[in-house]
Amino acid sequence: MIKSNDSFTDPKNLELVHSGEDYFARLETIIQQAQFQIYIQMYLFEDDTTGTRISTALKEAASRKVKIYMLLDGLGSLSFPSELVKELKNTGINIRFFAPLFSTYTFFIGRRLHCKIVVADAKVALVGGINIAAKYHGSATEEPWLDYAVQLKGEIAKPLQQLCIDIYSKKRRFQNKKIKAVFAIQGDASVRILQNDWLKGKNEICDGYIKSIRQAKKEIIIVGSYFLPGIRIIRALKKASKNKVTIKLILSGKSDLPMTRRATCFLYDKLLKYNIELYEWDKSVLHGKAAVIDGNWSTIGSFNLNNLSSYGSIETNIEINSELFAAMFRTHLYEIIAQCQCITRESLNTKTNIITKCINLISYGITRIIELLVTYTPHKRFYN
């Protein structure tokens, strides 16, 4: 447990961060103000206008002798130019790729570095689901992909930096042992770092969701991009519904993975039978992974409610127990819901027919098979 003189009642020490300029302005400022070390771990880093902006800031920091360690996923950042890698390395930036394709890691293609973490000087950190790419920033004509992060300052940044060090340097402590979840109790807020890496026996995010859903008394609000939960989460939601808990799901009305969205649509009938309220965000691609439960418990990070995050990827979330933070986040999510399309039994019957139902069923089956092939099957073969 971490204790310090910092107070999370100070809004500058624990802040909800939105995709768009809010996130990238903060990221740029963190890089510009760094004095000693920066750790960046990203699934996706694109060489577009937003990527160039961040690369320029990193090169300037490196010129000030700031040590920079950047770890990108070998699949998510597959298009990251080799010329830019050389350019960054020439400025003194340390960069490598996690589980690059056509390597010994190819067999575990489902085990990706899906975290989005930035830590500077073990004092300030950004953790969430936002990648470095223009689509998360948006433009004058296009809304940014809807997503969230948390900015943290103070002692909590130290274990986050150590986590990045362990992953970057392939420390055995990361590879073979569970890193104990870290609590930071400051002011009214209890903040916890949660990890998921099923191959290494880390299931903290998935278990945290299930526990909080099962214990819910009044209300559950979930932002669920690529929403295809496993049987344990479905059962937890069903139980909460039977206990008369109000459940609201904010789902993708527009997705960069159409087949996954179709697979999610296949679940609508079952979810509506559980009296779960469904809302589709269609103003931009929904990429957020977050929840607020009973006006006290919140989680934000990279973890999707699907088997790929549960049993494949390396994920990091921040869990926050704070009525103040939850009230603020809940208010924002209600504003999002007001802009969504509500999916009811009547509207679902109107917009679906036998053909769309068949397409949704096929998409669901194919998606589940892919998840099985890239997660569970390699795990069983690995241990046998």
Side-chain angles (χ1 to χ4, degrees), residues 85-289:
V85 172
K86 293 178 182 178
E87 185 179 337
L88 294 173
K89 287 183 175 180
N90 287 337
T91 64
I93 295 174
N94 300 282
I95 178 172
R96 73 175 187 86
F97 291 83
F98 179 89
L101 297 183
F102 310 112
S103 70
T104 55
Y105 289 96
T106 302
F107 179 67
F108 299 99
I109 192 170
R111 188 169 183 261
R112 311 314 313 173
L113 180 77
H114 199 237
C115 310
K116 291 87 176 175
I117 306 174
V118 179
V119 189
D121 297 336
K123 293 181 179 179
V124 59
L126 280 172
V127 182
I130 304 171
N131 290 291
I132 299 175
K135 53 197 173 190
Y136 294 89
H137 183 275
S139 66
T141 57
E142 292 188 3
E143 290 283 328
W145 286 18
L146 183 64
D147 209 339
Y148 304 98
V150 178
Q151 180 169 307
L152 300 158
K153 292 182 180 179
E155 293 292 321
I156 191 69
K158 289 183 178 179
L160 280 167
Q161 179 162 301
Q162 186 59 54
L163 173 63
C164 289
I165 292 171
D166 290 346
I167 297 175
Y168 185 89
S169 59
K170 303 180 183 180
K171 288 285 184 67
R172 287 192 175 185
R173 186 162 73 91
F174 166 73
Q175 293 290 325
N176 300 320
K177 294 182 180 179
K178 268 191 176 182
I179 300 175
K180 291 184 179 179
V182 178
F183 287 87
I185 298 179
Q186 302 172 338
D188 85 318
S190 167
V191 179
R192 189 182 182 197
I193 303 166
L194 299 181
Q195 302 168 77
N196 233 80
D197 184 359
W198 188 66
L199 192 63
K200 298 299 179 182
K202 301 173 187 176
N203 307 293
E204 297 161 0
I205 306 175
C206 185
D207 291 345
Y209 261 105
I210 292 171
K211 179 181 178 181
S212 297
I213 292 170
R214 285 175 176 171
Q215 294 180 349
K217 303 297 183 183
K218 298 178 180 179
E219 182 185 63
I220 298 169
I221 306 175
I222 294 175
V223 183
S225 61
Y226 318 122
F227 184 80
L228 280 172
I231 188 63
R232 290 202 302 156
I233 292 177
I234 288 290
R235 286 174 177 171
L237 289 171
K238 182 179 180 181
K239 178 183 177 182
S241 174
K242 286 184 176 180
N243 291 336
K244 306 302 181 182
V245 176
T246 299
I247 305 173
K248 301 176 184 290
L249 300 183
I250 303 173
L251 306 172
S252 299
K254 183 187 296 183
S255 177
D256 60 319
L257 298 177
M259 187 170 70
T260 301
R261 181 182 178 276
R262 285 281 190 179
T264 299
C265 290
F266 173 74
L267 297 175
Y268 280 7
D269 187 64
K270 177 186 291 187
L271 295 172
L272 288 171
K273 285 181 181 178
Y274 297 159
N275 296 315
I276 294 174
E277 300 175 26
L278 306 180
Y279 301 93
E280 285 188 346
W281 171 264
D282 59 7
K283 296 186 180 300
S284 64
V285 171
L286 175 68
H287 195 256
K289 313 98 167 42

Side-chain angles (χ1 to χ4, degrees), residues 291-346:
V292 179
I293 296 179
D294 284 347
N296 177 269
W297 184 89
S298 306
T299 187
I300 297 172
S302 64
F303 183 87
N304 287 302
L305 287 170
N306 59 35
N307 286 344
L308 192 57
S309 279
S310 296
Y311 303 115
S313 302
I314 299 171
E315 312 279 5
T316 303
N317 270 40
I318 298 297
E319 178 188 88
I320 304 161
N321 286 283
S322 167
E323 291 183 4
L324 184 64
F325 184 91
M328 176 270 300
F329 194 21
R330 179 177 180 272
T331 298
H332 166 77
L333 292 180
Y334 266 84
E335 292 172 357
I336 293 297
I337 287 172
Q339 301 175 62
C340 288
Q341 178 184 356
C342 180
I343 304 299
T344 64
R345 176 69 60 191
E346 292 74 20

